[in-house]
Amino acid sequence: MPASEPARTVSDAASGAMIISEVATQLRSALTPLTGADWSTPARDLDWTCRETAAHIADSFFAQAAQVVARPRHDWVPAEVRTDPAAEPEQVLRAVDACAGLLRIAVATADPELRAWHPHGAADLSGWVAMATVDGLVHAFDISAALGRDWRPPAELAGFAVERLFPSRPDHVDPVAQLLWCTGRIALPDHPRQPEWTWDPSVR
């Protein structure tokens, strides 16, 4: 998708749920061919292994689903997902699938006027969907790169996420490069790699 094309949007719960489904499909497509590799390898530059990173995706999806359902005003829902340390990569991906499914259902049935607490600003439905998109796609990139596969997120989903979450994104590159730069994964011409980064899910 050229940088000039309009990005996807979350116009209602159904469109948000469709994006979550597409993110889950992309995760499966990226990572299933790698399940025979050594997932104890560090996930690119992260402190986590590939296996721990995949487990983090599952927990992130669950936490996002919990916030969307409970709509807390002041903190996180105090619950988390933990995967069995002995689980094989394919089993961990099933946990990711399951938590993506929970998030999709939560989004599909969400109140259109949803507001739920996040440490970087109370987020509406589009904010939560965009954060899940970043978590899924960027960590799939981390795992794929660590295990020797040159995989990139799809431009349409990347464009949706960066437009919603990163108002200061560079505008001279394609959406995938924007996403990877905004999340500290790569450097760009005239834009050094960011050692730290954050997003803005607050309602605009």
Side-chain angles (χ1 to χ4, degrees), residues 108-183:
T109 58
D111 183 337
E113 301 303 316
L114 164 77
R115 301 290 186 271
W117 182 88
H118 187 277
H120 296 301
D124 59 7
L125 192 61
S126 68
W128 288 105
V129 172
M131 287 188 284
T133 300
V134 171
D135 277 332
L137 298 183
V138 170
H139 287 315
F141 169 79
D142 293 331
I143 296 169
S144 298
L147 298 180
R149 186 179 186 198
D150 184 17
W151 180 85
R152 292 291 186 275
E156 191 176 23
L157 289 174
F160 156 68
V162 295
E163 185 168 304
R164 177 60 183 82
L165 297 175
F166 301 103
S168 300
R169 63 194 179 277
D171 59 6
H172 64 288
V173 294
D174 68 84
V176 175
Q178 288 179 342
L179 176 63
L180 296 178
W181 182 82
C182 287
T183 55

Side-chain angles (χ1 to χ4, degrees), residues 17-33 61 96-97 100-101 104 136-137 140 149 151 154 157:
M18 184 176 295
I19 289 174
I20 297 300
S21 293
E22 292 175 10
V23 171
T25 297
Q26 288 295 326
L27 275 165
R28 264 288 173 186
S29 176
L31 301 182
T32 296
F61 287 167
V96 173
D97 283 343
R104 180 186 58 77
L137 298 183
R149 186 179 186 198
W151 180 85
L157 289 174

Side-chain angles (χ1 to χ4, degrees), residues 37-123:
D38 180 6
W39 283 45
S40 66
T41 301
R44 205 165 179 267
D45 300 331
L46 303 182
D47 293 332
W48 298 322
T49 65
C50 292
R51 188 197 172 287
E52 290 168 337
T53 302
H56 167 73
I57 299 171
D59 185 47
S60 292
F61 287 167
F62 175 82
Q64 290 150 356
Q67 295 300 99
V68 168
V69 170
R71 294 182 290 176
R73 297 181 61 185
H74 303 296
D75 54 12
W76 290 105
V77 173
E80 63 183 342
V81 163
R82 295 184 180 181
T83 57
D84 184 342
E88 296 295 328
E90 172 59 32
Q91 295 172 304
V92 178
L93 288 184
R94 289 210 302 271
V96 173
D97 283 343
C99 291
L102 293 174
L103 178 57
R104 180 186 58 77
I105 293 168
V107 168
T109 58
D111 183 337
E113 301 303 316
L114 164 77
R115 301 290 186 271
W117 182 88
H118 187 277
H120 296 301

